[in-house]
Structure formats: C-alpha cells, structure tokens
Amino acid sequence: MSRSTDATAETATEPASGRRERRYDPATIEPRWQRIWEEREVFRTPQDLTELRRKPKYYVLDMFPYPSGSGLHVGHAEGYTATDVVARFKRMTGFHVLHPFGWDAFGLPAERAAVREGIHPAVITQRNVDNFRRQTKRLGFSYDWRREINTSSPDYYRWTQWIFLRLFERDLAYLAEVPVNWCPALGTVLANEEVKDGVYVETGDPVERRKMRQWMLRITAYAERLLQDLELVDWPESVKEMQRNWIGRSEGAEIDFEIDGHDGLSFTVFTTRPDTLFGATYCVLAPEHPLVERITTPDRREAVRAYVAAAEQKSDMARTDLAKEKTGVATGACARHPVTGARLPIWIADYVLMSYGTGAIMAVPGQDQRDWDFAKAYGLPIVRTVQPPADFDGEAYLGDGPAINSDFLDGLSIAEAKAKMIAWLEAHGKGRAKVQYKLRDWLFSRQRYWGEPFPIVHLEDGTVVALPEEELPVELPPVDEFRPTDDGRPPLARAGDDWLIVELPDGRRGVRETNTMPQWAGSCWYYLRYVDAHNEERPWDPELEAYWLPVDLYVGGVEHAVLHLLYARFWHKVLYDCGLVASKEPFQRLFNQGMILATSYQDASGKYYRRDELEERDGKLYPPGGGEPVTVQLEKMAKSKLNGVDPMWVIERYGADALRLYELFMGPLEQTKPWQMEGLEGLYRFLCRVWRLVVDDKSGEPSPRLIDQPEGCEPELCRTLHRTIKKVKEDTEALRFNTAISQMMVFVNQATASATLPRSIVLTFLRVLAPYAPHIAEELHRRLGGEGLLACARWPDHDEALCAEETITVVVQVNGKLRDRLEVPPGTGKEELERLALASETARRFIGGKTPKRVIVVPDRLVNVVV
RNA sequence: GCCGGAGUGGCGGAACGGUAGACGCAGAAGACUUAAAAUCUUCCGCCGAAAGGCGUGUGGGUUCGAAUCCCACCUCCGGCACCA
C-alpha cells in the first residue's frame, strides 16, 4: 500500500453522504467526492526529493489553455480526460505522478476586451481564469492545483524575462530592422499565423507590410540540432515531418558571381544544383536585394524602380498568388559566369524571395521549371545540361542523367557532377558547399500591452543593455489606455517617466524597451516551472528538473505541431547549453488528440441554425420561417456555426463521469470524430448499470445479489473480471481508451446477468473503473464498505491463468473458407486438431472425398484443409 | 503541385496475416405497466425459403489464408506551397 493510502484510510469510517440516493445521481455524488479529494489533498505531488526518489516518476502534461471568455469546450475536455485517466492509472501502479495545470494567460483577446470594456486585461484574465478553473474542476481531474501557474503573473514572467536574459547574453536575441505584418486598425503588428489573405483572421482588418526595428531570436543557430534531435523523441511521424519541412534543410552550394563593369562588386547565389552551373543563362535578384539600385543601368532605372515599388506593395500572399505568370525586369547589368566568364544578364523578379538563401539565384531554365517559365516569357536562352531520356517530352528536366554541355562535368551523374563542381569552386575560390535552411529567425516582439515586458534598457548613447537580474520582474506599468500611442509607439510608451526612465546601478540612464514578448514566450518553458512552481530564488530546482524531465506524455491539439513545439524545443536546448536542464528534449512522447466535429445546419444563404430551432417534416429539417430544407453537415465545432457543445451543460444532465467516458469512448484519441448526443446517453446508461450492481434502485439498499463468498464462486464472472483487469491495463498504457471502456462494458453486462455478485469481484472492478469514472467508483466503493480512497488505491493484479479461456473455438476452413467450428481445450495438439477437423461432418462435405493436398494447423486458431 | 493520414453495417467504431463487424448508438419484436418512461429478453451487414453465396473505396498481386502486406488508381481530411 502506498503511503498516501494510509494517510486517507480514516475517511472510510466517515459518512460520505448524509442520505443515500437510490438512483444514480451524479449531481450529488460528484461534487461530494471532489470536495473530499480536495480536502485530503490526495493529488498533491510530493516536492521532497528523498521521498520522490522512492518511486519511479511519470510526468503527464496537457497543453495548457488560453483562458478565453467562452470557457471550456468538449475538445479541451477530451485531452484533459485522457491525461487524467493516465495520471490516475499511473498513480495506482506505483508512480509518483506530476500532473499539473495552468494558464497561458497573456494574449491579444484579453487586451482587445480590455480596450472594448475599459477594464484592465489582468482583471479580464482573472475573471476568465476563475471561470475556466471552476469548469475544469467540475470534471474531476486529479491535477495538483498547488502547482497552478499563470504566465501573466509577475511571479512567473519574472523568470520568462530571466530566461530572455540568458538568450541575450548568448547573442541569441538581437534587434533588427525587419518587415512585419502591421495592422493599422489595431495599431499593432501581428504574428504570421494571425494573418491570412492579407487580413487579420479575427476581424478581417487589412494588414500591410512595414519595416520596423524588432527583437529577433536566433533560432536558426539551432536548426541542425532541432532537426537531428527529432530522432530522440517518440512523436507522431506526421508532426516530426512537419517540423522537418518547416526547418527545411537543403544541401547545395553558394556560388559567387562578379558583376561585369563593377570592379570587385559581386553577389552570391545559393543553389541545390551546382552541377547545372553550365546551364545558367541569366541571374535573378529579389526586388529587395541591396545591389539592385547600384547595378541598374540608367536606361533601365525607371522600369526597375517601378517594378520594385509594385513588389513592395504586394503582400506575400498576393506575390505568391499572382505568380502563376512570372514577371520581372532586366537591370541592364550582367554577371560573369564563374567558370566560362560568359556575360549573364541580371534580372529582378518577385519569384525570387529575399527571405530565403541569399535573395539571388542563378537561373537554369533547362533544369528548373520556374526558370524555364521565366526564360520563355522573356525570350532568354535555355541550355540543357542533363541529358533527358529519349521519351522525355516535358520542359525543364529534373531527373537524373548524364551531364551534357558542361565541359569537365560531361557524362557525370547529378551526384558526381555536384561533388566535382563544388570541389572546383572551392579550389578556385568562387564558391563553397553550403547547407541552407528555410527556418528563419523568430520575430519576438509585439507592440502590445498584455505581454511580458523586455528586461532591456536603451541608453542615451544608443547602446542596448540588459537589466541586472535583481531588477526582475519588470512589471507591466499602469497606462491610461491599452492602445498604441497616436504616433504609433507601443502601449507601454504611454507609461509615465517613472517607469520609462531608468537609472542603472552604475548611474547610466536610459529608456525601457516598450515592446512586449509574444504569447509563445510563456509557453516555451511552463513545463519546467511546474516541477518547482513556487521557487522564488530560481526558475526551478535543477534536481527536481533532473527527476521529472522529460515530460513522459504530452497531449494537445495538432495545431501546435510546429510553432509552439519548435519554440519550446529551441528554448530547452538553449537552457541545456546553459547547464540549466539535464534533458536534451523537453517532451519525450507527444500525442495529438483529434478534432471533435458536430452536426451543423445551414440554409442556402449560408445562415446557421441551432438544431432546436428547426422543424422536422417528412425526414427533412426546415428553418423556423419555412422555406427550403437546411443542409446538414459535420463541421468543426465553432460558436459561429452554432454547433458547439458546452461540457457544463452535459455535466448538468449526465454528470462528469458520463462525459469523461463518452469523450474517450467516441473513438481513438488521435482521430477526428463527430459528437453524438445519443452516444453520450449510452455511457450514462452504462453507469446506471454499474450503479445497480451495488445499489437496489427501488430501495436504495445494497443490491440483494451481493454475497460475501470468495470470487471463485462465480467462476465465469471471475474470469471476465481478470480479463478486464488485464485488457484495461494494456489499453490504458497504449492510450486505447475506447477499447478499454468496451471491455468494462462486457464485464458489466455479464455481471448484470449474474445471479449472485461476490462483493470482492465488484470491489476489484471498481478499482479498474476508477481512473475512468472516478466519482461513481469512489461512491460505490464506499457503499460496499471498501477501505480508503480509490484515488489512492493500488491497481489490482490479474491472474494470468484465469485470463485464459477454458475452451477455445478453433475454426475449420476448407480452401480458406469457414466451414465448421471446433470447441477444444487450449493447447490441443496439431495432430489432434487435424484429426478433429477431418472428422467434421460439414468439412467433409466440402472436401468431397478428395485427398487433402495440404493441411495448415494453427494451434488454438484454425485448421485449413486445402484440396 | 509536394508531403503526411484515412476509407469497414443505418451511425461511432472493433479485429497479433487466421471466425470481419467486439462494444456503443439507432432500429425491430416481446416482457413488465392501466399507459408511458425506465428496465429486462431476443433479433439486427447484403442476397437467399434453406443449403449456401457475396461482402472492409476500386483494380491487380503475394499467401493455404489479406480489412491487415505489395503495386496502381479513386475519394476525403490535414499540412506546406515560386524555398532556387
């Protein structure tokens, strides 16, 4: 027995309930047990290392939510239920479990609500957190609430700032002039993921590109390790692949091109195909390339300036969208081919992006379709340098083949030619092998109020310095409004001089940074703070980190597949390099829960209706005013689609246990699946059947079928019990909750049909049920006179011998078709099975007197007679 | 276009290469009830009176045996998308 079981054993003697409900009534029993768990602090994880080291650890983590005003939805509840079942199960099987919860509480919605309502975002956030917490608690999760964190609390963001200083010290944080998504209506920059089709996704306000001086984090310095270390983690292959694509590693070469007539002036291109250098017939610079202005010849100046100006106006989206047709203009300048010395015209075109590689390319139309299209459009020459196969009828040829028209490379395959060309370039100082990544540095500042202030001061002489650690936290100052200033400076610029003006300990004076950090900052390290949530000296105790990390199971939506998970991995690796964490990767196993869909009803004009507004006539649904029947479809739950399901509404009707079971019974956790209210009723009925195993619902007294005999007096039920213990254990470990629940249903169906119910069998079953439906399990356990709390109980052992079948059905097939079944004891020998099969009346009819060619016998499975 | 993932009853879904459809929902019949609800029992892939035949998106293949492995294709979902 675990220590905590002893500590709570006395609860068994206390009356849990004033009166005894007859019928299953989750509304009374659930709050009662939640109160008991909370009062006895049964889910409090020890903090003392000596005690912790007595048991193995298991860290099971949910992606913490942004506490939005609309509250918890059934999608949250699915993931949280899954981790809760795992947490409760792991506790029962002898682990110290870390299962914490908290709030990703900085963010734009609270700030926008603050502007709208004229209330401080902290107040709005607190209101939402309180609501979210109350709802979350009502589901009966076994979180250690003492470790609750809130990223917007100064106790927390003090350490977010502290980690930023570590990044700054290591030159991983820097200021740079970069193009950003500026939304004039909101007066702030937006993250890339908040902008689609040139507008802010929430409000539809247009977004423009603007250059601003911004904080950047040098995540590109970690590109290779972020890529390589994906090998170390147990994540869905799809998520790893998305991260690999995002990092976008490609091998190739940089090649230097001198500009004809500009002594010493050159530019560098990146190419993955240095083998095709002899096929380069022109070069292209991105319109923003710094050399454009200098090299453009006077006769081309006007056209080039017009093109550059037009490109600047276009959003990224417009640039890629309109780019079916390639456009560009010649600069009039020419580059020198690094091998042949030939003059190659230099063009500018917006199909070349300044943000990737060097912002310049050598164009090889023979082997690149984009270059082919451009060359065709502007009448530029095309030279093939890889021999296409005889039957090739395409344009640019991307396949392998012998090099042609390529001087010293002729006849070589692509791979050989690449190696040889790189060697030549390096030998002649005209280029070098190069690994390029798509990943870009992370734009880390926002012109917002509701985020972490930077612990940074701009001195009068223009230098940028970090605040000393003792000055942390830099708290958010009070401001009169949460909008940017009229001249476009961030909201923090509204703070008074007593906040803005800083005198450093050495007497130097400066102005505070007025940008704030993006919402991702707090979520980059919250999983570390949980191990030591109240440490005021340090962000966490390294020994606690070494004990608990990495997270053993991390569950959340796939929408964070790239950004959050990449950013957090990046910070973790920096912390590793600083010697602050002992683990290379933060999240050992990642699991994405699937989206939950719901039926939505939409009329021809696109208007959505709630189901209860519609009238049903001859199998069709009509809108309230009549007219055409509505379209019925399955869509992601959304407020705008009026198809959301409120978990609190479900709990009022069916209870948290039924909701928990339904969330997991719907189907595999990772799968997208539709919500069906009827299915939920099935789970409620299941719990009613469980209730009636113990309670006679006419009298409220214990069921008369309960007996105090040993479990062996109902041998069949006893076998099913042991099979259930085993299967639920295996399925829970593998996160196959739906099949675990179905096995519990099999048990309950059989128990319902049983004439007598040995009390010990029911008590054992309740321990199996407890991680899934903890409230009803505790209540019935108590009513049966069970000791202690199930929340602290040990998982029952199953008896392997009892799990085996007494007789096994062995199938008889003739030519692979099922013809008969044999009931035999397990382990019946091959010869015996073959004899029985060939003796089978039905099988003989199909064998038809022929001599079997072959007989395949799989013991305990089947006999296949081939004739 | 490229990269992932998935297609099984009326529905959600089960099935170490070995009895396809566990479990649940919906449906049908019956019991209990004055009646209804609740509960309980039985039935429930398709064709067929039965014997049996046909069935896991489509077409091939491997195998004694394929929902499961291989090839090609179709459809749906997700991600990326001029990344040189």
Side-chain angles (χ1 to χ4, degrees), chain A residues 568-611:
Chain A
R569 291 180 63 219
F570 164 48
W571 278 37
H572 198 84
K573 288 183 185 306
V574 175
L575 295 170
Y576 178 83
D577 290 348
C578 295
L580 292 163
V581 299
S583 43
K584 285 189 173 172
E585 284 285 332
F587 313 117
Q588 187 54 42
R589 183 174 182 201
L590 173 73
F591 204 94
N592 295 123
Q593 85 225 31
M595 213 171 26
I596 297 185
L597 306 177
T599 315
S600 64
Y601 308 89
Q602 198 175 19
D603 69 17
S605 72
K607 184 178 183 328
Y608 281 97
Y609 297 91
R610 292 196 314 274
R611 174 65 184 82

Side-chain angles (χ1 to χ4, degrees), chain A residues 68-208:
Chain A
S68 72
S70 46
L72 197 71
H73 62 73
V74 292
H76 289 121
E78 185 190 19
Y80 302 164
T81 304
T83 54
D84 192 61
V85 169
V86 171
R88 287 174 178 269
F89 173 78
K90 283 284 172 185
R91 265 185 222 109
M92 292 177 84
T93 50
F95 289 81
H96 279 308
V97 171
L98 183 57
H99 189 218
F101 204 72
W103 314 103
D104 190 13
F106 274 134
L108 193 56
E111 181 166 320
R112 287 178 50 226
V115 170
R116 215 170 37 236
E117 301 178 35
I119 304 173
H120 196 281
V123 175
I124 289 167
T125 301
Q126 193 56 49
R127 193 173 74 193
N128 290 348
V129 163
D130 289 343
N131 182 42
F132 234 92
R133 188 194 302 104
R134 183 181 55 74
Q135 297 191 343
T136 307
K137 285 193 169 181
R138 189 56 190 85
L139 273 108
F141 298 136
S142 61
Y143 294 117
D144 180 357
W145 285 100
R146 294 184 149 242
R147 295 170 187 259
E148 176 180 351
I149 58 168
N150 180 326
T151 56
S152 70
S153 148
D155 300 337
Y156 182 91
Y157 69 68
R158 163 187 188 175
W159 300 111
T160 309
Q161 293 169 341
W162 185 88
I163 295 170
F164 177 82
L165 292 181
R166 303 288 83 78
L167 287 150
F168 185 68
E169 277 165 11
R170 301 175 85 85
D171 193 32
L172 294 167
Y174 63 96
L175 277 165
E177 194 80 17
V178 289
V180 296
N181 299 304
W182 174 261
C183 180
L186 294 166
T188 176
V189 295
L190 294 169
N192 286 327
E193 56 278 9
E194 289 164 329
V195 179
K196 199 153 196 180
D197 299 331
V199 299
Y200 176 41
V201 289
E202 297 275 313
T203 60
D205 291 315
V207 171
E208 58 191 49

Side-chain angles (χ1 to χ4, degrees), chain A residues 307 314 319-328 350-351 373-374 377-378:
Chain A
Y307 188 84
K314 288 187 200 172
R319 238 166 106 154
T320 48
D321 231 31
L322 300 172
K324 304 280 177 217
E325 287 294 302
K326 301 251 180 304
T327 61
D350 64 6
Y351 82 93
D373 294 342
F374 192 79
Y378 293 98

